[in-house]
Amino acid sequence: MQQQSEAPRWSRFDWLFVAGAVLLALAARFLADPRTIDDAYITYRYARNLAEGLGFVYNPGQAVLGTTTPLYTMLMSLAWLLGLQNLPAVALGINTLADAGSVLLLCWLGLRLGKSRIVALGATLAWALSPMSVTFAIGGMETSVVIFFLVASFGTYVAGRSRLSAALMALAVLTRPDALIAVGLLFADMGLRLFLARDGSPLSARLRRLPWVEVAIFCLLLLPWLAFAAAYFGSPLPQSVQAKVHAYNLGPFSALIRLLQHLSTPFFEHEIFGRFWPAVGLILY
């Protein structure tokens, strides 16, 4: 499982294109300046209190886990200790670099997996200029970082580095717990390839055992945080998750409609083409 498959060969045009896409991603985020979303300030307060020795708390003396991103909080706390105390600007810098890294990884994945260079490079450019990506990057949320870890995990898995992929998945979960959805898909693919993949491909040839080592790496990296959170807060499950379950309680049909709306309008096309665009966009995309 640890053998590396042949990496794609990049032409000079590929290098120039991805360099331009990275510059576009950097410009789209840095030129916008921080426009911090309210949830980000919760994380910043946890980070400041942690750096100042008050504990991993929102209010000193109250051990309540109200942030869903422990790894991102620790990054902000480290920045505070280093004297970088303008946390919205720090978050913008980290998120912008993470999105630029995702651009590079997406281009590699597209060229590695795709049969069309136009599709691969188009996907790279779409991510670099994605309005929702820019919104969360300048908003100070951890979205850019978790997406970087997820794409890096997929990329290393495709390259045959399944153990590194498992480690990156653990970092993704420490950044956002809903990354567990991707973790389930990744391990399911490892298991299914063991029984179903017999197509003679390099990836199939490597997967001849159950992914016990990968599962162990993933669990061992999560264990310190889970043990700390259970002892310190009483549970590793953030209180904010329970609050949001009640605050954003949608029926199954309403939730499905919202999901389809997001999938069909990634560039807010409905604001130009009207309210009937989602019907077109859903089929198109």
Side-chain angles (χ1 to χ4, degrees), residues 61-82:
Q62 298 179 8
V64 176
L65 183 56
T67 178
T68 55
T69 178
L71 182 59
Y72 198 71
T73 303
M74 293 175 193
L75 285 175
M76 295 294 106
S77 184
L78 178 61
W80 187 279
L81 286 172
L82 294 175

Side-chain angles (χ1 to χ4, degrees), residues 9-160:
R9 294 183 179 180
W10 288 24
S11 67
R12 180 176 298 179
F13 172 78
D14 295 332
W15 283 109
L16 289 174
F17 184 93
V18 76
V22 168
L23 290 175
L24 281 174
L26 294 173
R29 290 152 181 81
F30 274 135
L31 294 178
D33 292 326
R35 301 179 188 178
T36 308
I37 301 171
D38 54 356
D39 281 4
Y41 285 112
I42 298 174
T43 299
Y44 299 162
R45 182 157 164 170
Y46 272 92
R48 183 195 66 192
N49 287 340
L50 179 60
E52 294 182 347
L54 299 175
F56 205 119
V57 295
Y58 185 83
N59 293 318
Q62 298 179 8
V64 176
L65 183 56
T67 178
T68 55
T69 178
L71 182 59
Y72 198 71
T73 303
M74 293 175 193
L75 285 175
M76 295 294 106
S77 184
L78 178 61
W80 187 279
L81 286 172
L82 294 175
L84 304 173
Q85 298 181 354
N86 183 351
L87 293 185
V90 171
L92 176 60
I94 291 174
N95 293 344
T96 299
L97 292 176
D99 282 340
S102 294
V103 165
L104 287 168
L105 291 167
L106 284 170
C107 189
W108 184 90
L109 268 174
L111 293 174
R112 174 65 178 78
L113 298 175
K115 298 182 182 298
S116 168
R117 181 170 258 97
I118 294 176
V119 172
L121 300 182
T124 303
L125 185 62
W127 171 253
L129 298 176
S130 169
M132 292 301 292
S133 172
V134 174
T135 296
F136 283 108
I138 66 178
M141 300 293 286
E142 68 281 356
T143 310
S144 297
V145 176
V146 73
I147 288 175
F148 171 78
F149 283 137
L150 289 174
V151 177
S153 180
F154 296 148
T156 51
Y157 181 59
V158 167

